[in-house]
Amino acid sequence: MNISKFVTPEIIFGCGSLSQVGESARRLGASKVFVVSDEGVIGAGWVEKALHYLHAAGLKTSVFSALTTNPKDLEVTEGAACYLASGCDAIAAVGGGSPTDVAKAVAILVTNGGSTRDYEGINRIHRPLPPMLSVPSTAGAGSEVSQFAIIIDTERRLKMSIISKSLVPDIAIVDPELLCTKDARLAAATGVDALTHGIESYVSLAGTHLTEIHALKAIELIARYLRRAVADRDDLEANTHMAMASLSAGIAFSNAILGATHAMAHQVDGQLDQHHGESNAALLPHVMEFNLPACPERFQKIASAFGKDVRGLAPERAAVLAITAVRELLADVGLDQGLAALGLNEAVIPELSRNALRDACLVTNPREASRADLEDLFRRAL
């Protein structure tokens, strides 16, 4: 019998659920909450609302927002120092994947010590973390339910994957109303990030029946609603379905891990410091083509989730429709450019490939990839 673990936080989902943040933090035993966010989310007014609910619950707060789109080890170190100086006893992330990843990394350092690099890899955290809540403002990262924290090592210029079930927040509060204040480009990039989570977790070597259910549902919702969400940022129905898609994809990849697309995108992001979803968009179709021979039946199911008619087709032919569907979606949301358009220089491909070989996400890719394979994929994606 195969034995697997499936971990999720307590999840509170629905429009207006941000109002639950104060009561939720109080249930976790907090007296003073370290709120991690960024200037964009603060400017949108969501942190002010979260602070209102936290204060209404009788809790004190301290806000940390000195972080960037791709969070860096130096920002985590600063955040940990601020946490320790503040006298806080719980952490709440309000924002996209960056605030949540910083919150997780801060939680590691304030309880386990050392530097962020000490925890790169799988299961290197040994002491319990402070209580954590996450309130996402984007539909993509899935950090609110995942066991991942992704932080840039500024010295090596790459993204470190820190993976541990202790990084799964205690409570995730998913309020689709928070999605309405992000622009169309960010909606597209985060949506493609969620799509990549769904596809990579569905074909992952570590997938289970539970992760497959969540992964396929995420793909189906994104195929149906991402175009609408990008076209009309006030479409609450589309935003609600995209919030659910991101949540489902996050649950899937947290438990099944990912694959070569993310192993490679982490290296690109470390070089270019631009949105992770755009890196995924440039790489995903090429990695799918590489992986297809290893699991055509799974790609056939992905094609079906996109609404493609695969009746009467052999799995290999039906599987190709999944890649076609992804390319069509990327074009429709304006993310069908290659890595060169993002600013990647071909000269760094050997270095990126060496680093990608060491990324934990590559372990669960359905087809073994050599350094030469990765170099070829990077060049195709240019």
Side-chain angles (χ1 to χ4, degrees):
M1 177 182 294
N2 292 325
I3 298 174
S4 60
K5 290 184 178 181
F6 187 82
V7 181
T8 64
E10 175 184 333
I11 298 170
I12 303 173
F13 184 96
C15 293
S17 58
L18 177 60
S19 63
Q20 302 298 304
V21 68
E23 185 270 340
S24 296
R26 196 157 50 83
R27 282 195 288 115
L28 293 177
S31 61
K32 186 174 183 180
V33 180
F34 191 68
V35 178
V36 181
S37 191
D38 61 41
E39 293 304 319
V41 178
I42 291 173
W46 299 119
V47 171
E48 182 180 357
K49 287 191 174 184
L51 293 176
H52 167 75
Y53 294 124
L54 289 164
H55 296 158
L59 303 175
K60 297 179 180 179
T61 58
S62 177
V63 177
F64 177 75
S65 61
L67 53 100
T68 49
T69 300
N70 287 298
K72 299 167 181 62
D73 48 8
L74 300 177
E75 297 162 4
V76 172
T77 301
E78 181 181 353
C82 291
Y83 179 97
L84 292 172
S86 69
C88 289
D89 53 12
I91 300 180
V94 181
S98 297
T100 304
D101 283 354
V102 168
K104 292 177 180 182
V106 165
I108 296 170
L109 295 194
V110 300
T111 51
N112 287 259
S115 69
T116 311
R117 190 186 294 184
D118 295 334
Y119 304 97
E120 183 180 8
I122 302 173
N123 294 332
R124 295 189 174 181
I125 301 168
H126 303 295
R127 295 177 183 170
L129 307 186
M132 283 193 292
L133 301 92
S134 179
V135 185
S137 64
T138 63
S143 300
E144 71 275 8
V145 292
S146 84
Q147 58 175 314
F148 282 68
I150 309 297
I151 305 294
I152 286 183
D153 183 318
T154 51
E155 181 181 343
R156 293 182 292 163
R157 296 185 67 191
L158 57 80
K159 276 189 170 180
M160 298 179 286
S161 295
I162 304 171
I163 307 172
S164 169
K165 287 183 171 59
S166 63
L167 291 177
V168 177
D170 296 285
I171 300 176
I173 300 174
V174 184
D175 187 339
E177 290 183 352
L178 271 66
L179 305 185
C180 70
T181 53
K182 62 180 183 177
D183 62 31
R185 185 73 176 186
L186 183 58
T190 53
V192 171
D193 191 17
L195 175 65
T196 310
H197 293 157
I199 291 173
E200 291 215 292
S201 61
Y202 184 64
V203 302
S204 167
L205 294 177
T208 67
H209 291 306
L210 285 170
T211 63
E212 290 166 5
I213 291 168
H214 286 282
L216 280 178
K217 187 61 179 179
I219 296 166
E220 177 187 330
L221 290 172
I222 293 164
R224 186 177 300 176
Y225 292 103
L226 179 56
R227 292 176 177 87
R228 277 178 54 179
V230 172
D232 181 1
R233 297 303 307 122
D234 294 322
D235 187 335
L236 186 57
E237 181 186 16
N239 283 336
T240 299
H241 285 297
M242 284 303 301
M244 181 59 74
S246 177
L247 178 67
S248 294
I251 291 171
F253 90 78
S254 177
N255 288 278
I257 317 300
L258 292 160
T261 305
H262 272 79
M264 297 169 71
H266 290 159
Q267 318 316 316
V268 175
D269 297 343
Q271 289 283 326
L272 302 181
D273 197 17
Q274 47 81 51
H275 196 279
H276 176 61
E278 296 191 19
S279 302
N280 280 336
L283 289 160
L284 178 60
H286 303 283
V287 174
M288 290 177 71
E289 288 175 346
F290 175 79
N291 285 335
L292 189 151
C295 48
E297 294 82 4
R298 290 190 172 274
F299 279 92
Q300 180 181 27
K301 291 284 185 66
I302 291 171
S304 294
F306 266 95
K308 296 293 185 180
D309 186 357
V310 299
R311 290 173 297 180
L313 296 179
E316 290 76 9
R317 289 189 61 194
V320 173
L321 296 180
I323 302 169
T324 301
V326 168
R327 291 188 183 278
E328 291 171 347
L329 180 59
L330 293 177
D332 288 345
V333 299
L335 292 182
D336 54 343
Q337 75 264 11
L339 293 175
L342 300 180
L344 191 73
N345 190 318
E346 185 175 0
V348 301
I349 285 178
E351 177 189 356
L352 300 189
S353 301
R354 284 194 301 271
N355 291 335
L357 277 177
R358 296 191 291 267
D359 193 291
C361 291
L362 194 63
V363 176
T364 48
N365 195 67
R367 182 179 174 189
E368 187 174 350
S370 67
R371 177 179 162 185
D373 291 328
L374 295 175
E375 288 189 8
D376 180 57
L377 285 169
F378 273 122
R379 290 192 174 93
R380 290 188 193 181
L382 284 174

